[in-house]
Amino acid sequence: MAAGTTSAQRAIPTLPLTVVLAGVSSVLLLIVASVAIWSSTMARGGVEGLRETSVVQSSALTFLSRLQDAETGQRGYLLTGNASFLEPYERSVGLVPSDLARLKSATSDDPDLMREVARLDGLLARKIEELTRTVMLVRENRRADALALVSAAGGKEAMDDIRLLVRHILETEDMKQIQRETDLAHWTRLSTLAIAASALVALVLVAVTFRLGQRQFAVSEDMRLRLAEANDRLENEVERRTAEAEAARAEAIREAERAVAERSRVELLLQDVNHRVGNNLAMVSGMLGLQISATADADTKRQLRAAQERVATIANAQRRLRLRDDLSSTRADEIVANTIADLRATLGHDRPIEIETRLEPLAMDGRDAIHLAILTNEIAMNAVKHAFEGREGGRIRVSLGQADAGIRLVVEDDGRGMPDGGAGRASLGTKLITRLTRQFGGEPLISAAEGGGTRIELTLPDLAASPA
């Protein structure tokens, strides 16, 4: 009788204790889940902060790059007097205020950066005033006054101050980015721990519930031990896989952000390199212009002027080179169209020569596209110089497209035609056309154009291109 009483007394507290443990585990699970949701929310806030930092840096770099383009165009026009430099100058001057406005908007939540941007506003006004004034003086044929103004206006000092301010803004955002990445890692770790704790509490709740069921249904001790071992293994596996998944996710996020940042940096560097190469070539063209002015021999002047035109063609094509997403190819039809536009601009109104174009959208390697632009310019310029002697005007037709083998470029004119049955002159331009054509596996085909004039057809089988 005593033994039965003892057994009954042991069984009485079992059910309430198990229920209490289940209730406590449920409360803990709710708390841990709330912590996990809160930490995930904070982590998303950190990602948003990183995006804001990226916007500020991108806006600052775009503003500085645009202002540098304006200064480069102004310097090229000041040095050479070539009006083609005014196109990038005027475009950049017109867009710089909107770039600064975007930078102001991106930094509106940071009083310190707002003060820095406000200083940029004043410096930009000084710089644009200097740029505008010097361009106006050159247009009025007062280049000496423009050079004196550049030396005395403090434009270089203003530009240096602008670069320092932009660099300070970028460094400030870099520090913010580092701090935000640290905070993001902290909240990610906290979220991971909360998830793991939720799993642990859930498993504890399962174990307690199982214990209650075991007590109620009198499951054997051996089965309870096996189930407990299985639950332990499951808990360890869940913790391990959760940690691996979170680590992999965090690493993937970091790699994606690094890839985006690196791509943006490479694109900016390539754009800057193209601009610098074009500007350096433009400087060479300007120096040739100075040499032409200092040369008395007419034949030497003619040869130097031809060299200057070729260098200017390469410079303009390089400066306007815009690479596609693969960072190696570009639109060949756009490069050729820009070259023809430059040629039209050099003709002016004194020579009413019409130049028609029919260009298929083609993508090819950037270097090959520049070679194609050089070929087009050489043939069209030869037609301008020689096809319309004794006439006030004429018409040139340029077509570019894919052929059965490679690319086909055709330039026709309605001029007087070429002598000697189309053999042409053994000039430097003709040699250059022949050499570049052979470089791409072709030969120039010169014939009489339908209705009079000359037709030059180049089939370039080794020039790889694809529809854009």
Side-chain angles (χ1 to χ4, degrees):
M1 185 68 177
T5 302
T6 302
S7 299
Q9 290 174 347
R10 290 176 181 171
I12 289 174
T14 301
L15 183 58
L17 178 59
T18 306
V19 173
V20 170
L21 289 175
V24 171
S25 299
S26 298
V27 173
L28 288 175
L29 181 60
L30 180 61
I31 294 173
V32 172
S34 300
V35 172
I37 294 173
W38 176 61
S39 58
S40 297
T41 302
M42 297 300 293
R44 284 195 296 272
V47 172
E48 181 64 23
L50 290 176
R51 188 193 69 79
E52 293 174 358
T53 296
S54 176
V55 170
V56 172
Q57 291 178 328
S58 176
S59 300
L61 289 173
T62 300
F63 164 75
L64 181 59
S65 177
R66 195 97 65 186
L67 186 57
Q68 288 175 336
D69 289 347
E71 185 182 47
T72 300
Q74 177 250 14
R75 292 295 190 264
Y77 181 62
L78 177 61
L79 181 61
T80 66
N82 190 339
S84 64
F85 286 100
L86 292 179
E87 179 182 350
Y89 159 77
E90 292 173 349
R91 182 176 63 252
S92 299
V93 166
L95 293 175
V96 162
S98 61
D99 293 334
L100 184 58
R102 282 194 292 272
L103 182 58
K104 288 180 180 179
S105 176
T107 58
S108 59
D109 59 345
D110 190 325
D112 293 335
L113 287 183
M114 287 180 64
R115 287 192 291 271
E116 298 288 342
V117 175
R119 291 181 60 196
L120 279 177
D121 208 351
L123 292 171
L124 177 62
R126 287 173 52 196
K127 186 61 183 177
I128 290 181
E129 181 181 0
E130 181 247 338
L131 294 175
T132 305
R133 179 60 178 161
T134 54
V135 169
M136 184 181 301
L137 288 174
V138 175
R139 284 174 170 170
E140 295 173 355
N141 294 322
R142 296 169 59 189
R143 183 174 298 175
D145 293 340
L147 291 173
L149 180 61
V150 168
S151 301
K156 182 178 184 302
E157 179 182 352
M159 194 66 189
D160 290 340
D161 290 341
I162 290 174
R163 289 192 180 96
L164 288 175
L165 284 174
V166 171
R167 183 181 303 169
H168 181 262
I169 291 172
L170 293 175
E171 290 173 352
T172 301
E173 289 303 312
D174 284 338
M175 289 187 292
K176 285 184 181 179
Q177 183 174 8
I178 293 172
Q179 181 60 43
R180 285 169 174 168
E181 289 176 349
T182 302
D183 293 341
L184 178 61
H186 168 73
W187 291 117
T188 302
R189 285 195 299 271
L190 182 59
S191 177
T192 302
L193 291 175
I195 292 172
S198 298
L200 179 61
V201 173
L203 290 173
V204 170
L205 183 59
V206 169
V208 171
T209 305
F210 172 75
R211 180 67 175 173
L212 178 62
Q214 183 191 42
R215 293 286 185 174
Q216 292 292 330
F217 298 102
V219 180
S220 66
E221 185 68 15
D222 183 61
M223 182 62 71
R224 185 188 66 79
L225 291 174
R226 288 200 298 269
L227 287 175
E229 291 174 357
N231 285 337
D232 289 340
R233 289 195 300 270
L234 179 61
E235 179 182 347
N236 292 334
E237 184 67 15
V238 169
E239 290 180 353
R240 183 180 66 82
R241 294 202 175 189
T242 300
E244 290 177 353
E246 288 301 319
R249 185 176 68 87
E251 182 63 24
I253 291 175
R254 288 193 294 270
E255 287 296 329
E257 291 173 349
R258 284 196 291 268
V260 170
E262 182 63 18
R263 180 178 180 84
S264 298
R265 187 181 70 85
V266 170
E267 289 177 349
L268 287 174
L269 288 176
L270 285 175
Q271 184 178 1
D272 184 63
V273 167
N274 287 334
H275 276 285
R276 290 179 184 273
V277 171
N279 292 340
N280 289 339
L281 289 172
M283 187 72 71
V284 174
S285 176
M287 292 179 180
L288 287 173
L290 294 176
Q291 186 63 47
I292 291 172
S293 301
T295 301
D297 183 69
D299 186 59
T300 303
K301 278 192 172 185
R302 180 183 59 79
Q303 294 178 5
L304 288 175
R305 188 169 291 110
Q308 184 187 32
E309 291 171 353
R310 293 185 177 98
V311 171
T313 298
I314 300 173
N316 291 335
Q318 186 71 40
R319 190 166 46 243
R320 292 172 175 170
L321 183 63
R322 295 294 182 270
L323 297 180
R324 291 153 61 90
D325 290 341
D326 58 7
L327 301 183
S328 62
S329 64
T330 189
R331 286 281 297 274
D333 54 302
E334 292 180 354
I335 296 292
V336 172
N338 289 332
T339 301
I340 295 300
D342 291 338
L343 180 56
R344 288 194 187 103
T346 60
L347 294 177
H349 300 290
D350 297 334
R351 301 198 64 187
I353 298 176
E354 298 181 15
I355 304 179
E356 301 176 354
T357 58
R358 187 171 67 246
L359 310 174
E360 293 183 12
L362 296 175
M364 65 177 61
D365 182 80
R367 181 180 60 182
D368 293 341
I370 292 178
H371 287 164
L372 190 61
I374 295 172
L375 271 172
T376 306
N377 183 74
E378 283 294 330
I379 300 174
M381 183 60 74
N382 280 346
V384 169
K385 291 180 178 178
H386 306 297
F388 308 108
E389 292 182 3
R391 292 173 51 179
E392 293 184 356
R395 176 175 298 176
I396 300 172
R397 292 177 293 275
V398 179
S399 62
L400 173 68
Q402 287 189 303
D404 294 336
I407 300 301
R408 178 181 291 117
L409 173 66
V410 178
V411 180
E412 297 179 283
D413 64 70
D414 59 355
R416 62 189 182 89
M418 297 189 68
D420 302 325
R425 299 180 177 88
S427 64
L428 178 60
T430 303
K431 292 178 181 178
L432 179 59
I433 294 169
T434 302
R435 181 168 299 180
L436 284 177
T437 304
R438 290 174 178 173
Q439 178 179 327
F440 295 110
E443 284 288 341
L445 180 60
I446 304 174
S447 60
E450 187 175 340
T454 303
R455 183 178 191 271
I456 300 179
E457 177 179 337
L458 307 181
T459 301
L460 310 173
D462 295 342
L463 184 57
S466 60

